[in-house]
Amino acid sequence: MSLGGKTEELPLIAFEAEMKRYVYINDNESSHELYCDNRISNRKYTVLNFLPKNLWEQFSRFMNQYFLLIACLQLWSLITPVNPASTWGPLIFIFAVSASKEAWDDYNRYLSDKKANEKLVWVVRQGIRKHIQAQDIHVGNIVWLRENDEVPCDLVLIGTSDPQGLCSVETSALDGETDLKTRVIPTACMGIDFELLHKIKGAIECPKPDKDIRRFDANLRLFPPFIDNDVCPLTIKNTILQSCYLRNTEWACGVAIYTGNETKLGMSRGIPEPKLTAMDAMIDKLTGAIFVFQIVVVMVLGIAGNVWKDTEARKQWYVLYPLEGPWYELLVIPLRFELLCSIMIPISIKVSLDLVKSLYAKFIDWDSEMIDYETGIPSHATNTAISEDLGQVEYIMTDKTGTLTENRMIFRRCCISGVFYGNESGDALKDTRLLNAVAGSSPDVVQFLTVMAICNTVIPMKSKTGAILYKAQSQDEDALVNAAAQLHMAYVNKNANILEIRFNSSVIKYEVLETLEFTSDRKRMSVVVKDCQSGKIVLLSKGADEAILPYAYAGQQTRTFIEAVEQYGQLGLRTLCLAWRELTEDEYQEWSLMFKEASSTLVDREWRIAEVCQRLEHDFEVLGVTAIEDRLQDGVPETIETLRKAGINFWMLTGDKQNTAIQIALSCNFISPEPKGQLLLIDGKTEDEVCRSLERVLLTMRITSSEPK
Amino acid sequence: MADMNRERHRTRETAFYLFTQQSLPACKPVLTPGWVVEIVDRYDTECVPEAFRIDKISYIQDDSIPKNCSRFMKVHKYMKAPIYIYYQLDNYYQNHRRYVKSRSDKQLLHGQKYHDTSSCQPVELNSGQPIVPCGLIAWSLFNDSFTFIRERAELKVNRKNIAWKSDRDHKFGKNVHPFNFQNGTLIGGGKLNPKIPLSDQEDLIVWMRTSALPSFRKLYGRIEEDLDADDVIVVNLMNNYNTYSFGGKKKLVLSTSSWLGGKNDFLGHACVIIGSSSLILAIVFTLLHLKYRRPHGDTSYLPWNRKSLSG
């Protein structure tokens, strides 16, 4: 492997035959010719190839091929019963209309591409920051992003405003998740000075462009004068992909590795295919069937016609038939019948369908009852060709959080060490007993609130008015931190690794040693913090009840907590258990080494980290249970009721506990309460259990449906 | 008092008064069904002499055999003049594609000055000379002729003005004369007098208006006298035209006419058939509705719900 030189030879790799890509960071000359620039092109056609390509596409449908065949047959004057213009006229008109619609759509795509391409971004060229258009970004350029900027191409992060090298991105355009994700700079880039970032040089070896947004296996090597001249591995957590937004971070910079249509987003986009609805497919099939029928009719009539001509017609002396015709004489009568029967598939079907579909789409746009009250934006149908599929919907599958619910979490109740707060008024923040306990610094309550305030990835910001705003990655964390602040345990500042909590006018500092992030397998998250005053190391954990309560230390009474979870589930609230454990210095050091090792392995990193986390997260002292309310959006119960009356089946997908999910379903008219509706549960942890559960349910259904109503 | 009467009398005659009192003069047409009297006589089978009944084709194609024939037509009802004489041909496909194409309208108007008569194939040239009028339609001109005698006095048949006026004036030339017509080996139909211009050859003009259906009538002439009931008309006809090769029929029709035209049963048949089929369908649907009642707006009949009911 020759780095530092500008050769283009790609070395052979023994174990995988994948060709790789070499990106030279901040190198002005070499990458121009090798890789494409960042011009995004979503267009299907160019000006030259529009007509042939569009006609080719239109004629790939069977119905259009049929019309073309009939029109061509009508050019043969011997067999045509009508003037060929009567078929060519409408045909040309229809294809012109379709072609112009496609041209209009393509032109709009071109305009939006232009807008995206000409957006201005900051790029480092020759050591200084320049403002250039997004399409001029080349592979290897260093791109500088500000907060809330959209990322113009795939970048490997090399620096952020956060001293630990973290930044948060919103990836909702890629995968639809609204929670923010953290990205971190690679270890080789830790601690590099702000000014030096403009002059950094190195090489990144990365795979060919693909569309997998969860994997990125590459490595990075920085050139002298930077230290660490060995290879540093890169994962997807070191990259920011195109179309994400930078959030909660003042600035970040990265090296462009994939640009233009070779970014992960570009590779997964593909060519926009014309979509066909279920009705279009059905019409194609019917047209095929009618055509076959037509052929049969034509053959029968053709044979009859030829036979009649040879027997009867020759007797008609006044027609003076020639005795021998040309070789195609036999084909003439069947083809004439074919042209006469060609109206079985009318050409107006295509025009009518296109017109009607466009009208449907327009009706959706003009519907005055589908305007968003807050923003005043009316609904807009972007694809006019598939509008009738809306009327054939049989199943709706909906996510609960954020779709049925408002995704604005509010802290409602809690249970601390067996004491229930908030049960009478419904709001724990107004519960006088809790406020008294806080004022009196009851140790259980203080511990509980500490965990609420610290065990998260929230960053507090001081706004201009002096109030504190929390930048959280998810609504849950935001709700908990705000609730803690209202209970006088305010999280005021985060500086490097030091957190500041203000409690009842005294300031406590904690140093964050390690953050064990939330994964959906473990269902919990933890932080290891060191109290700056006392020097104690504690592990704070927060998670689902089935991830915390089973790991409570032997002897702790978890019965009240289980009851609390049940009760809150009945009310439809989201529950979280909070726990903590004190760690000794040795235990922590030993574990920390294991954790660092697991974090930097190249193979199976997630699994190793999960394993290491498991070693620490046990023997908890469970402090309490929080309950958060996620209200349903306006009009959800009525909407679901109406849809179910129309015969559409509903499926709700959620990660909540069963009880919570059932309660929510009851409250949004999803399930009818007994005795009108009957709840049937199918659950199990193994395949056999699920099978047995299913059979029981089927039996119940058979019994109830055979009962007289 | 007299003034007031006069006053009233004058207002009584104003249009407004008459209108409001609904005593405007009005015309109320009372439709009476028009009667059309029609006599039809098929003569092509019986006009062949006994000896030739087995081989009619060779009879008709042999010029030496005389083709005269006498028919008797009895008038069963009083027929008012003018009485139209038609000849009706059945199973004769004047609408055949090759036949209909085989004419040259430009040549009919301009005569030999017009040279491009290729559409008249195969009857375009004869021994190198152009044929006027060319084409199969003119070549197969109908040539049976009829004379009518009542009580030994011949009935005067008016053979003028039997073709359409527009045809006579604009489609057939006044200076165009038949030339080289029916001169070939194969004679199709009647001959034309080369001295009379085409616009006066009314038989040809009538024949060249090709009919749309294989069974058609063409006007032969008019009788300008009334015919009484029980009159016997003797028809002396020349049975020249060959309809025997293809199993066609020839009929002679005498018919009066009304403002709606001649006898046509189509409307009557159509009304009866549509009415009775509608009645039958109404009865069938009523019975179906009574047997399989379906409440309005019941969603259990939707196809996706019906599956769950049955399965």
Side-chain angles (χ1 to χ4, degrees), chain A residues 669-683:
Chain A
N669 271 342
F670 202 131
I671 312 177
S672 315
E674 313 251 338
K676 186 167 159 228
Q678 190 182 14
L679 197 58
L680 298 163
L681 289 170
I682 302 171
D683 55 16

Side-chain angles (χ1 to χ4, degrees), chain B residues 55-67:
Chain B
D55 192 1
K56 297 190 185 114
I57 300 177
S58 53
Y59 156 77
I60 200 79
Q61 286 175 343
D62 194 346
D63 282 332
S64 54
I65 311 171
K67 303 282 192 331

Side-chain angles (χ1 to χ4, degrees), chain A residues 103-171:
Chain A
W104 174 250
D105 282 345
D106 212 44
Y107 180 66
N108 280 340
R109 267 182 237 132
Y110 165 70
L111 283 182
S112 71
D113 279 350
K114 199 157 124 83
K115 192 161 149 246
N117 280 339
E118 290 179 2
K119 217 157 47 141
L120 293 171
V121 289
W122 289 104
V123 165
V124 173
R125 290 263 166 91
Q126 278 122 10
I128 44 170
R129 256 189 277 173
K130 287 196 187 142
H131 222 163
I132 59 168
Q133 289 187 339
Q135 58 188 341
D136 291 328
I137 299 178
H138 292 284
V139 170
N141 289 154
I142 298 183
V143 178
W144 213 272
L145 298 167
R146 293 259 141 75
E147 186 173 350
N148 291 335
D149 268 354
E150 188 182 350
V151 181
C153 58
D154 284 356
L155 306 172
V156 165
L157 208 54
I158 53 173
T160 72
S161 60
D162 183 59
Q164 285 193 312
L166 294 169
C167 70
S168 301
V169 292
E170 180 187 334
T171 56

Side-chain angles (χ1 to χ4, degrees), chain B residues 192-289:
Chain B
L192 290 176
N193 188 347
K195 296 193 191 68
I196 307 176
L198 285 189
S199 59
D200 291 335
Q201 305 259 23
E202 306 237 2
D203 279 333
L204 177 69
I205 299 176
V206 163
W207 183 252
M208 291 212 58
R209 267 268 147 218
T210 47
S211 84
L213 294 171
S215 169
F216 57 89
R217 288 180 192 172
K218 289 202 182 291
L219 189 56
Y220 181 80
R222 283 189 206 90
I223 300 179
E224 302 289 355
E225 300 169 24
D226 294 346
L227 292 177
D228 302 311
D230 295 332
D231 273 356
V232 173
I233 312 282
V234 178
V235 183
N236 292 329
L237 55 94
M238 298 292 289
N239 185 16
N240 292 324
Y241 202 65
N242 175 17
T243 53
Y244 302 102
S245 311
F246 51 85
K249 300 182 193 151
K250 288 193 286 190
K251 297 178 184 165
L252 180 63
V253 178
L254 279 152
S255 163
T256 56
S257 176
S258 72
W259 61 272
L260 271 178
K263 190 168 186 298
N264 193 339
D265 290 334
F266 173 73
L267 259 186
H269 288 313
C271 278
V272 168
I273 290 176
I274 302 274
S276 50
S277 58
S278 299
L279 188 64
I280 291 173
L281 278 176
I283 293 172
V284 167
F285 276 121
T286 309
L287 290 174
L288 276 177
H289 176 71

Side-chain angles (χ1 to χ4, degrees), chain A residues 418-471:
Chain A
V419 184
F420 288 82
Y421 297 106
N423 272 358
E424 300 86 26
S425 52
D427 191 357
L429 296 173
K430 296 194 176 61
D431 195 338
T432 41
R433 284 181 300 151
L434 184 59
L435 294 169
N436 287 344
V438 169
S441 300
S442 150
D444 287 338
V445 173
V446 168
Q447 273 183 333
F448 186 82
L449 289 177
T450 315
V451 181
M452 251 173 75
I454 308 184
C455 186
N456 47 43
T457 50
V458 170
I459 301 176
M461 312 278 305
K462 264 202 166 49
S463 74
K464 295 190 193 66
T465 57
I468 301 188
L469 290 171
Y470 293 110
K471 294 233 172 104

